[in-house]
């Protein structure tokens, strides 16, 4: 069994973001990058599936500049077997082009199943895995909270939450793509031996230009701006009655919400 995992490297949520002067994006100088948190659940589920399946291989993929190899090494340190870095030099990416490149790579690798995070925390687009599934003409379930493989290892039963506390249960034939989020598992920490082993595990580099064919971006972003800073909070002093009275006055006269 061959298990693929899509991984994206994203800015740390604690990083101070600065937009470019022309509003075309964010300045990446000084930005700390991390593995997309939802992708860590995908890596963990891939490793757990391998442990249950026996003979299996976990391959993690990431599309981006050279620095994304650091994210791939993190996945290898957790226990993945090998990694594929798809160099995005010289191209403009959107969700469609990204999906085309990942689908082409997945098609070559012939994965039996693919895990991914439910969304990346940088753009929150949550589009790529579904597009990859459509391009490969295979099923996808977004987002799962439980994953169980059948005895024949050719299908799985997955659960997903829907509104009102109800759940949906899907019996899915492989190959298929599954989106992961918090609650599905607890990602393991990379051990020291794992970190040492990760240095010698293979990382193959592919060129996105050679995989995208004649695909062109269908969407673009412009006018990046930071949200306005929030005004400072107010601390109310006094007895509970005085505080409640002043709070009501502020809500009525300043916030104008009552």
């Amino acid at each position: 069994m061959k298990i693929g995992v899509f991984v994206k490297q994203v800015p740390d949520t604690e990083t101070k973001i600065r937009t470019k002067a022309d509003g075309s994006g964010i300045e990446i100088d000084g930005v700390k990058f991390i593995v997309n948190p939802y992708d860590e659940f995908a890596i963990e589920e891939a490793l757990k599936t391998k442990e249950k399946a026996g003979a299996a291989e976990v391959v993690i993929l990431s599309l981006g500049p050279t620095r994304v190899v650091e994210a791939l090494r993190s996945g290898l340190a957790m226990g993945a077997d090998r990694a594929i870095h798809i160099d995005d030099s010289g191209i403009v990416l959107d969700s469609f082009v990204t999906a085309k490149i990942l689908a082409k790579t997945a098609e070559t690798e012939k994965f039996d199943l693919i895990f991914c995070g439910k969304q990346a925390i940088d753009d929150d687009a949550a589009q790529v895995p579904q597009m990859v599934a459509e391009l490969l003409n295979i099923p996808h379930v977004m987002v799962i909270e439980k994953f169980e493989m059948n005895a024949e290892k050719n299908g799985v039963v997955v659960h997903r939450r829907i509104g009102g506390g109800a759940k949906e249960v899907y019996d899915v034939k492989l190959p298929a793509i599954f989106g992961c989020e918090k609650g599905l598992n607890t990602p393991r920490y990379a051990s020291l031996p794992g970190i040492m082993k990760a240095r010698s595990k293979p990382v193959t580099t592919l060129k996105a230009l050679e995989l995208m064919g004649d695909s062109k971006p269908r969407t673009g972003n412009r006018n990046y701006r930071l949200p306005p800073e929030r005004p400072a909070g107010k601390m109310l002093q006094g007895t509970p009655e005085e505080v409640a009275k002043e709070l009501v006055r502020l809500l009525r006269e300043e916030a104008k919400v009552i």
Side-chain angles (χ1 to χ4, degrees), residues 73-143:
R73 292 290 181 197
S74 297
L76 293 173
M78 289 174 67
D81 298 290
R82 62 184 174 91
I84 299 174
H85 166 221
I86 308 172
D87 186 352
D88 68 350
S89 300
I91 65 172
V92 177
L93 294 170
D94 70 348
S95 295
F96 175 70
V97 175
T98 298
K100 290 282 284 189
I101 294 168
L102 291 177
K104 183 67 176 178
T105 309
E107 185 178 48
T108 302
E109 287 287 330
K110 301 185 186 307
F111 292 123
D112 294 290
L113 69 153
I114 299 172
F115 291 106
C116 56
K118 70 170 186 175
Q119 65 194 84
I121 64 169
D122 52 357
D123 58 20
D124 281 330
Q127 296 175 333
V128 170
Q130 298 90 325
M131 289 184 181
V132 172
E134 290 298 316
L135 291 168
L136 295 176
N137 194 29
I138 61 176
H140 64 83
V141 183
M142 306 288 288
V143 178

Side-chain angles (χ1 to χ4, degrees), residues 24-229:
S24 62
I26 65 170
E27 297 284 359
I28 62 172
D29 291 343
V31 171
K32 178 184 177 183
F33 287 92
I34 61 172
V35 176
N36 178 46
Y38 294 119
D39 296 347
E40 292 184 339
F41 297 109
I43 296 172
E44 176 62 32
E45 200 60 28
L47 296 175
K48 288 176 60 179
T49 302
K50 175 186 174 180
E51 291 164 357
K52 293 177 182 176
E57 180 185 38
V58 175
V59 184
I60 53 178
L61 300 79
S62 190
L63 170 62
T66 303
R67 60 173 161 75
V68 306
V69 174
E70 180 183 350
L72 293 173
R73 292 290 181 197
S74 297
L76 293 173
M78 289 174 67
D81 298 290
R82 62 184 174 91
I84 299 174
H85 166 221
I86 308 172
D87 186 352
D88 68 350
S89 300
I91 65 172
V92 177
L93 294 170
D94 70 348
S95 295
F96 175 70
V97 175
T98 298
K100 290 282 284 189
I101 294 168
L102 291 177
K104 183 67 176 178
T105 309
E107 185 178 48
T108 302
E109 287 287 330
K110 301 185 186 307
F111 292 123
D112 294 290
L113 69 153
I114 299 172
F115 291 106
C116 56
K118 70 170 186 175
Q119 65 194 84
I121 64 169
D122 52 357
D123 58 20
D124 281 330
Q127 296 175 333
V128 170
Q130 298 90 325
M131 289 184 181
V132 172
E134 290 298 316
L135 291 168
L136 295 176
N137 194 29
I138 61 176
H140 64 83
V141 183
M142 306 288 288
V143 178
I144 61 171
E145 65 169 13
K146 187 176 181 180
F147 179 92
E148 293 180 332
M149 183 171 293
N150 64 19
E152 293 76 23
K153 301 176 184 176
N154 59 4
V156 299
V157 175
V158 295
H159 297 201
R160 69 184 296 267
R161 288 193 298 269
I162 57 175
K167 297 182 180 180
E168 292 177 336
V169 179
Y170 289 85
D171 192 340
V172 186
K173 186 177 181 180
L174 298 179
I177 297 179
F178 303 96
C180 306
E181 69 166 335
K182 184 178 181 180
L184 175 63
N185 55 50
T186 302
R188 68 194 68 184
Y189 289 105
S191 64
L192 181 57
I195 295 172
M196 298 297 288
K197 288 181 181 177
R199 297 177 181 175
S200 59
K201 290 182 178 178
V203 178
T204 303
T205 298
L206 305 176
K207 295 294 184 183
L209 268 172
E210 299 172 0
L211 298 169
M212 64 187 291
D214 58 357
S215 304
K216 296 184 184 303
R218 300 186 178 186
T219 59
N221 298 317
R222 61 183 181 181
N223 296 330
Y224 272 76
R225 290 178 294 178
L226 295 176
E229 292 190 11

Side-chain angles (χ1 to χ4, degrees), residues 12-18 27 29-32 226 229:
D12 191 329
T13 53
E14 296 184 358
T15 292
K16 186 174 178 59
I17 298 297
R18 294 176 293 114
E27 297 284 359
D29 291 343
V31 171
K32 178 184 177 183
L226 295 176
E229 292 190 11

